[in-house]
């Protein structure tokens, strides 16, 4: 690092001293904490983003959001060149950079890292970083801190994209690096035109016109605000937006996280909405769940979660692939052996996994965390992943898209078997509608609506695909969560010895029993998940396994 660069870094970082006694860790959500202690961290993430841009010679994104957290929190995360999350290989550097105690140590850390990664810091070249933030009041000052961090690396340029949903920023980064147009209006136009394409391709006879209005809970966040804009360019869907952010507090008894966990109607919904098709976004619009309020039930709902969204998508895509590969004899010349995989975590309800396997689909499991799901989904021509919390998407390979492009324009298909051409066009429209960078509540919502119209289904018919097994989640305080080591996508404990055998013996007592334990990523607790054929059995299994965890690892264990 030359003297000019060293001097700029020393000077700028001295204006953002870290708060004493605070240690932060970069996880799936990036850095997240009370907004009042994040100035220094966000400044340093600006430095990290600039180095990442120089290192990859690509556009990088920085998003300032705390998603479904309360309004006084905020956070910051990086979008890599693909539009996905920051590579795991850089997470230790992110942690070290956020927690380094002073300017001198910061410059030394950056210098060492630049040499180790061969980042061209001495050569004057540009690095471009797109910045976005959600609607939190603290966002503006934190954005300024990020800009200062970016500009402290010579040649780095910060481009403020304004108030955005998290998925919009990820989409913009991916699009810019593919050489495509990437303004917010380009995003809205792509969503609306691909939605229109799917609606136009609905088979004759589907109950298109019986679709009543959709009521959307915007969590009083950025998603509600952006849905208002999207509505203006959208045709074929009647949307009523509730909790748009004009009144009410972000994520306070509203939003996908609240609805999914509490299984109650969010604030702002009227008794007249009972039985209607409703959807809920989270604070930064990267999660989506559906629900229908139950009449006269004290605000209880029928929840249609991420597992059921995944099942709907998988069913539709399997149908299109079946049409495409129905080639009556000339299979070898015209078909593409597309691999379709469904990716879940152990938290997926066992009934959803059974349903997907019954459809003949390949279902694989990864550890908890979107980064693991996304990486595994990319192994397939079509990889679908969703967590029960409503975060997920569909990835389609370049090879498959190229083949679909050819199939959709083959002249022979218009006269002979135009159903195949329509199936190819539908899958191409899905690839443009769904956000392939990250889970996106707005694009996911439009895909759900298009498929429901295609099937002629109500939310109640969709919800009948299968019935969830009762489940229970608990957490147990332990002395040291790192004492728990798991394998098989976190479903089997290999240390401490003996605990897995005890869990197995307990689980075997219950019909359709399933139980696993895993250490929390953020606090000294072990999480317990239990499933069984009845609510009482799931509760009993969870409680008895929680006691086992306490015996092996709790404060009385030593």
């Amino acid at each position: 690092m030359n003297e000019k660069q060293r001097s700029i870094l020393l000077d700028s970082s001295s204006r953002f001293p870290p708060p004493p006694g605070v240690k932060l860790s970069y996880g799936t959500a990036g850095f997240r904490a009370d907004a009042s202690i994040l100035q220094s961290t966000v400044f340093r993430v600006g430095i990290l983003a600039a180095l990442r841009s120089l290192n990859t010679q690509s556009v990088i994104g920085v998003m300032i959001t705390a998603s479904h957290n309360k309004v006084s929190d905020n956070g910051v995360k990086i979008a890599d060149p693909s539009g996905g999350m920051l590579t795991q290989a850089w997470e230790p550097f992110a942690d070290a950079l956020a927690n380094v105690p002073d300017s001198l140590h910061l410059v030394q850390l950056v210098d060492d890292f630049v040499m180790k990664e061969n980042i061209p810091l001495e050569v004057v070249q540009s690095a471009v970083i797109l910045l976005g933030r959600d609607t939190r009041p603290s966002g503006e000052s934190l954005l300024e801190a990020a800009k200062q961090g970016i500009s402290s690396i010579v040649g780095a340029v910060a481009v403020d994209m304004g108030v955005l949903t998290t998925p919009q920023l990820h989409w913009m980064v991916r699009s810019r690096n593919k050489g495509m147009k990437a303004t917010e209006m380009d995003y809205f136009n792509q969503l609306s035109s691909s939605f229109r394409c799917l609606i136009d391709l609905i088979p004759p006879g589907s109950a298109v016109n019986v679709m009543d209005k959709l009521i959307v809970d915007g969590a009083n966040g950025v998603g509600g605000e952006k849905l208002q804009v999207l509505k203006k360019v959208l045709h074929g869907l009647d949307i009523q937006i509730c909790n748009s952010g004009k009144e009410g507090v972000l994520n306070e008894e509203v939003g996908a996280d609240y609805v999914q966990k509490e299984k109650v109607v969010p604030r702002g919904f009227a008794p007249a909405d009972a039985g209607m098709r409703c959807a809920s976004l989270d604070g930064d619009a990267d999660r989506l769940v559906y629900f229908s309020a139950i009449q006269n039930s004290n605000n209880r709902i029928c929840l249609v979660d991420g597992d059921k969204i995944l099942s709907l998508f998988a069913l539709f895509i399997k149908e299109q692939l079946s049409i495409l590969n129905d080639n009556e004899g000339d299979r070898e010349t015209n078909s593409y052996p597309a691999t379709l995989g469904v990716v879940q975590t152990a938290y997926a309800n066992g009934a959803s996994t059974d349903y997907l396997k019954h459809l003949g689909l390949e279902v694989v499991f990864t550890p908890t965390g979107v980064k693991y799901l996304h990486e595994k989904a990319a192994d397939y021509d079509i990889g679908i992943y969703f967590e029960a919390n409503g975060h997920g998407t569909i990835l389609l390979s370049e090879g498959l898209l190229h083949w679909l492009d050819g199939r959709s324009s083959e002249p022979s298909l218009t006269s002979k078997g135009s159903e195949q051409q329509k199936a190819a066009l539908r899958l191409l429209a899905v690839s443009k509608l769904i956000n392939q960078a990250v889970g996106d509540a707005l694009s996911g919502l439009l895909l759900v609506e298009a498929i429901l119209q295609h099937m002629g289904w109500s939310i109640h018919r969709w919800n009948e695909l299968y019935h969830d097994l009762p489940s229970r989640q608990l957490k147990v305080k332990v002395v040291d969560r790192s004492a728990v080591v798991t394998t098989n996508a976190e479903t089997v404990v290999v240390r401490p010895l003996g605990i897995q055998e005890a869990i197995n013996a307990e689980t075997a007592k219950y019909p359709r029993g399933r139980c696993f334990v895993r250490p929390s990523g953020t606090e000294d607790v072990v999480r317990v998940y239990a499933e069984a054929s009845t609510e009482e059995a799931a509760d009993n299994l969870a409680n008895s396994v929680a006691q086992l965890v306490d015996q092996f690892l709790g404060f009385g264990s030593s």
Side-chain angles (χ1 to χ4, degrees), residues 5 8-9 46-47 50-51 54 110 121 148-157:
Q5 177 63 85
I8 293 170
L9 262 179
I47 295 171
L51 295 176
L54 287 171
V110 169
L121 207 55
Q148 298 276 329
I150 290 163
S151 60
S152 68
I153 298 296
V154 175
V157 178

Side-chain angles (χ1 to χ4, degrees), residues 67-68 256-257 261 280-282 285-289 389-391 441:
S67 186
H68 53 273
D257 190 61
K261 285 193 170 61
S280 208
L281 321 176
D282 73 335
D286 66 355
R287 291 187 189 181
L288 169 73
V289 296
N389 65 23
H391 191 289

Side-chain angles (χ1 to χ4, degrees), residues 324 398-410 413 421 424-425 427-428 431-432:
L324 271 170
E398 290 297 331
L400 176 65
L401 292 174
H402 181 70
W403 180 77
L404 288 170
D405 222 19
R407 292 297 277 159
S408 66
S409 55
E410 258 180 54
L413 289 181
Q421 187 186 37
L425 287 167
L427 288 176
L428 284 170
S431 76
K432 293 186 175 72

Side-chain angles (χ1 to χ4, degrees), residues 469-534:
L469 287 166
S471 64
R472 181 77 191 277
Q473 293 186 47
L474 297 173
K475 54 185 185 181
V476 184
K477 285 195 170 176
V478 294
V479 180
D480 176 15
R481 70 180 186 272
S482 67
V484 181
V485 180
T486 62
T487 186
N488 286 10
E490 301 180 305
T491 58
V492 176
V493 183
V494 291
R495 282 209 308 270
L497 295 173
I499 190 171
Q500 187 59 53
E501 288 73 17
I503 292 169
N504 293 346
E506 205 55 47
T507 306
K509 296 175 185 175
Y510 298 92
R512 300 199 72 179
R514 182 170 75 92
C515 188
F516 68 91
V517 305
R518 56 179 284 271
S520 162
T522 53
E523 49 186 328
D524 271 326
V525 299
V526 168
R527 300 190 186 279
V528 177
Y529 178 92
E531 221 173 57
S533 57
T534 67

Side-chain angles (χ1 to χ4, degrees), residues 191-208:
L191 260 57
S192 61
S193 62
S194 44
F195 173 75
R196 187 69 248 164
C197 180
L198 283 169
I199 297 300
D200 290 343
L201 288 164
I202 289 173
S206 287
V208 181

